[in-house]
Amino acid sequence: MVSFQDLDLSNPLCNSIEELGFTNPTPIQEEAFPIVRSGKDMVGIAQTGTGKTFAYVLPILRDLKFSKQLHPRVLILVPTRELVVQVVEEIEKLAKYITVRVLGVYGGVNLNRHKEAVVQGADILVATPGRLYDLAVSNVLKLKSVQKLVIDEVDVMLDLGFRFQLLNIFDLLPERRQNIMFSATMTTEVEELIDDYFIAPQKIAIAVSGTPLENIDQTAYNIPNFYTKINLLKELLFNKSEFSKVLVFAPNKRNADRIFNLIEEEFPGQVCVIHSNKTQNYRLRSIEEFNNGNHRILIATDVIARGLDLQEITHVINFNPTDYPENYMHRIGRTGRAERKGKSILFATEKEQEAKKQIEALMNYTIPLLEIPEYVEISKELTDEERPKEDREQSKNRTSQEYVPGDAFHEKKEKNKKVNLGGSYRREIAKKYKKPKTRGDKNFNKRKKKK
Ligand code: AMP
C-alpha cells in the first residue's frame, strides 16, 4: 500500500497530514497527485467521501510558492456555498504550516464585503460561479494570473444551471492554464465541457465504492414505453411489505416530476421527489421524510442523489438505463449491504436496449429478464419524447393519446392481449385496495373517488 511518504511531499505538508492522523493516501489522491503536479489537464470521476478534495489540494499546495501578489493563482469553483466553506476549511487544515492566503466567496453575502476581502489579496480563491463572475466584472478581481483552475462537482454545477456562468468565467481566464475537474457522475453536458475546453485531459476514475455486485439481486424488464413503466411501477409498489424503502431513479428532472405526479396520485403521502430545481429546503425535507420512513418512495435524478446519505434501501428502481454505464453502478450501489441483499430493477424500452447492453458489458453480467406480468396494462399512450419526430411536428395540436404506435418488440403476446381479470396477486391487491379495474384512467378514478 502506498503511504504519504511515497508521495514527494514537503515537510510542512507531512506534518499537517500526520496531525490529521492520515496515514495512506486514498486511491484518487495517489492517482491525481502526479498528474496535477505535471501541469496537464485532468478529469477525475470520484464521489464525495473518496478524499477528492485533498486529491487536488495536496499537489497544489506542494508546488505553490510563496508570493505577495494580490491576484489569485489558483481558482477553485464549486457549486454551493456550503462546499466553499468546506473546501476552505480543508485547505486550511493542510496548509497549517504553509504561508498561503485562502479566500472563500459565495452568493448571498454582501458583494462589497467580498470586494474588500479580494483587495487584501489571495493565493487560492474558492468560489461559486455566480459570485466569482460578479467580482470579476466589477474589476476588483483580476483573473489573468490564474494558473490552475479546479472545478469541483461539475455535474452538480451544470445541473444547477451554471453552464453560462462557467463559460463566461472561462473567457476571463488566461488561455494558458491547467484545468482540473472533478465529477461524481459523467453526463453528456460534462463531456461536452471537457471536449470544448480541456486539452488532452488525463482521466482517472475511481471504482465505485461500496456494495459488491454479489450483494444485489438484479432484474430487468423490457417495457414498451413510459406509461407502461408507470403501470408496472405502480403494480410493484402495491406490495408495501416488500417494497418498503424504494429509490426510483428518473432520467431527468422533467421525468422525475412526471413520475412523482403519477405515483403520488396512486400512493398519496408515500412519495417524495428530489432534483436540482427543488429548493434546498424542499430537498432536505424530502430526504428526511424518506430516511425516517414517513415516505417509502423517493424519486431522484442521478446527479442529485449522488451526495445523499440514504440508508437501508430495499429496492433501487431504474426507470431507464443510464447513458453512462458507471452511473448505473452508482445507482444500484445504494441498495444491498452486507447483512441483507439489495434489489435492483431496470426498466428499458426498445430504444434503451443499447444502453442496457453497455451496462451489462461493464459488469460482465447479463441482467436476468422478467416478463411483464399479465395484469399490467400495456399503455398505448406516448410521451412527447417517445413520439416519432415527424409526428410531433405534424400534430402539435393533437393529444398524445391519439398516436397509435406500430408493432414493436413489446407487442403483447397473443395470450396477453385478452382482457383478463388479473393474476392472482393482482386480484388479491384489487380486493385489498378496492382498485378500479380501469386503473390509469385519471378521470375515471377521480369520479370514483368523488362518489
Ligand atoms: P472528500 O471526498 O474530499 O469529501 O473527503 C472525505 C473525508 O475524508 C474528509 O473528511 C477528509 O478529511 C477525509 N480524508 C481525506 N483524505 C484522507 C486520507 N488520506 N485518509 C483518511 N481520511 C481522509
Side-chain angles (χ1 to χ4, degrees):
M1 195 187 250
V2 176
S3 81
F4 278 113
Q5 262 78 45
D6 300 321
L7 302 183
D8 174 23
L9 291 175
S10 54
N11 282 340
L13 279 176
C14 283
N15 291 342
S16 51
I17 283 174
E18 209 179 305
E19 276 182 27
L20 285 168
F22 300 164
T23 46
N24 305 93
T26 63
I28 190 101
Q29 289 166 359
E30 184 190 332
E31 286 196 47
F33 193 78
I35 305 174
V36 174
R37 289 198 69 193
S38 75
K40 288 189 193 122
D41 283 1
M42 195 201 91
V43 176
I45 303 295
Q47 288 179 292
T48 305
T50 52
K52 67 180 170 59
T53 318
F54 283 1
Y56 59 83
V57 173
L58 260 178
I60 286 175
L61 287 178
R62 169 68 182 80
D63 292 327
L64 198 67
K65 306 259 178 323
F66 174 78
S67 162
K68 281 185 178 170
Q69 82 170 61
L70 287 183
H71 302 296
R73 287 169 290 157
V74 177
L75 173 61
I76 301 172
L77 293 175
V78 300
T80 61
R81 71 164 91 172
E82 290 84 0
L83 205 54
V84 171
V85 174
Q86 202 178 304
V87 170
V88 169
E89 279 172 8
E90 297 272 281
I91 298 174
E92 282 169 348
K93 277 190 222 160
L94 268 190
K96 195 169 167 196
Y97 302 108
I98 304 171
T99 314
V100 57
R101 296 160 301 168
V102 187
L103 175 64
V105 291
Y106 42 79
V109 172
N110 186 298
L111 185 63
N112 285 331
R113 240 177 75 190
H114 281 156
K115 282 182 184 170
E116 284 161 21
V118 165
V119 171
Q120 304 295 312
D123 300 300
I124 302 178
L125 185 62
V126 187
T128 49
R131 179 48 53 107
L132 183 92
Y133 189 68
D134 290 345
L135 287 166
V137 293
S138 76
N139 258 334
V140 174
L141 176 67
K142 296 263 186 297
L143 294 176
K144 285 294 171 210
S145 48
V146 170
Q147 295 158 1
K148 289 179 196 289
L149 167 71
V150 180
I151 315 175
D152 199 355
E153 302 206 354
V154 69
D155 48 350
V156 179
M157 212 179 273
L158 294 172
D159 205 44
L160 288 170
F162 283 136
R163 189 183 147 79
F164 279 104
Q165 272 105 327
L166 266 185
L167 301 190
N168 285 337
I169 293 167
F170 287 165
D171 280 346
L172 300 173
L173 292 170
E175 259 178 48
R176 267 180 64 92
R177 62 170 194 264
Q178 181 183 19
N179 295 303
I180 299 156
M181 176 194 275
F182 282 88
S183 186
T185 44
M186 197 36 124
T187 65
T188 319
E189 261 191 307
V190 172
E191 197 156 83
E192 276 170 16
L193 202 70
I194 297 169
D195 287 348
D196 291 347
Y197 293 93
F198 281 47
I199 301 164
Q202 296 239 350
K203 289 192 186 159
I204 47 179
I206 293 308
V208 181
S209 59
T211 323
L213 283 177
E214 307 83 67
N215 273 350
I216 306 166
D217 267 338
Q218 299 185 60
T219 48
Y221 291 92
N222 285 336
I223 312 185
N225 51 39
F226 179 90
Y227 286 103
T228 309
K229 286 181 179 182
I230 291 284
N231 291 345
L232 176 58
L233 180 59
K234 284 181 183 173
E235 290 294 347
L236 295 171
L237 291 174
F238 276 126
N239 189 348
K240 277 193 190 171
S241 56
E242 206 189 312
F243 288 73
S244 57
K245 201 157 196 186
V246 185
L247 177 58
V248 181
F249 278 101
N252 51 42
K253 299 175 210 182
R254 191 164 162 223
N255 274 312
D257 282 331
R258 226 188 227 158
I259 298 168
F260 171 76
N261 290 334
L262 292 162
I263 297 300
E264 166 74 16
E265 205 176 78
E266 191 76 62
F267 303 97
Q270 298 177 39
V271 200
C272 40
V273 60
I274 47 165
H275 56 65
S276 59
N277 276 6
K278 301 284 179 198
T279 62
Q280 179 89 358
N281 275 345
Y282 184 97
R283 290 190 328 229
L284 288 175
R285 210 172 48 239
S286 290
I287 295 155
E288 208 180 296
E289 295 284 323
F290 184 64
N291 269 341
N292 68 21
N294 279 351
H295 286 155
R296 70 179 168 110
I297 306 152
L298 176 65
I299 296 156
T301 54
D302 288 287
V303 173
I304 207 76
R306 184 207 87 268
L308 301 180
D309 181 24
L310 304 172
Q311 293 126 25
E312 297 183 0
I313 288 165
T314 58
H315 294 77
V316 165
I317 298 186
N318 302 275
F319 214 78
N320 65 310
T322 54
D323 287 339
Y324 294 87
E326 295 82 5
N327 294 351
Y328 173 82
M329 314 285 280
H330 285 301
R331 286 178 172 189
I332 67 168
R334 294 319 194 92
T335 180
R337 291 289 172 252
E339 330 78 70
R340 193 154 70 143
K341 267 202 162 191
K343 293 207 166 79
S344 157
I345 301 171
L346 171 63
F347 295 170
T349 61
E350 188 171 18
K351 263 195 187 152
E352 291 163 347
Q353 293 302 308
E354 187 47 44
K356 180 170 156 229
K357 269 193 208 136
Q358 287 192 19
I359 290 168
E360 294 180 326
L362 177 73
M363 297 190 293
N364 195 15
Y365 175 71
T366 307
I367 307 170
L369 201 59
L370 299 178
E371 285 269 335
I372 304 177
E374 284 181 20
Y375 47 81
V376 172
E377 188 187 318
I378 300 294
S379 178
K380 289 275 187 198
E381 188 176 344
L382 296 181
T383 62
D384 258 2
E385 302 98 279
E386 285 172 338
R387 289 158 60 201
K389 229 181 184 164
E390 324 79 73
D391 184 74
R392 258 183 273 162
E393 294 300 317
Q394 278 172 18
S395 60
K396 285 215 168 99
N397 301 323
R398 226 165 58 183
T399 66
S400 55
Q401 278 97 331
E402 288 170 277
Y403 177 76
V404 181
D407 285 357
F409 85 121
H410 56 264
E411 276 292 284
K412 274 209 155 182
K413 287 190 187 138
E414 207 51 44
K415 75 176 170 70
N416 290 354
K417 277 186 178 163
K418 63 180 187 290
V419 178
N420 62 53
L421 295 171
S424 58
Y425 176 68
R426 176 80 200 89
R427 274 199 298 272
E428 206 180 289
I429 292 297
K431 241 194 290 164
K432 204 163 154 190
Y433 296 95
K434 301 192 173 52
K435 304 291 311 161
K437 270 188 212 120
T438 45
R439 195 169 17 82
D441 177 347
K442 262 199 231 171
N443 298 326
F444 179 89
N445 288 351
K446 274 190 199 137
R447 284 198 301 276
K448 276 280 282 212
K449 272 178 204 154
K450 274 187 197 149
K451 273 182 198 166

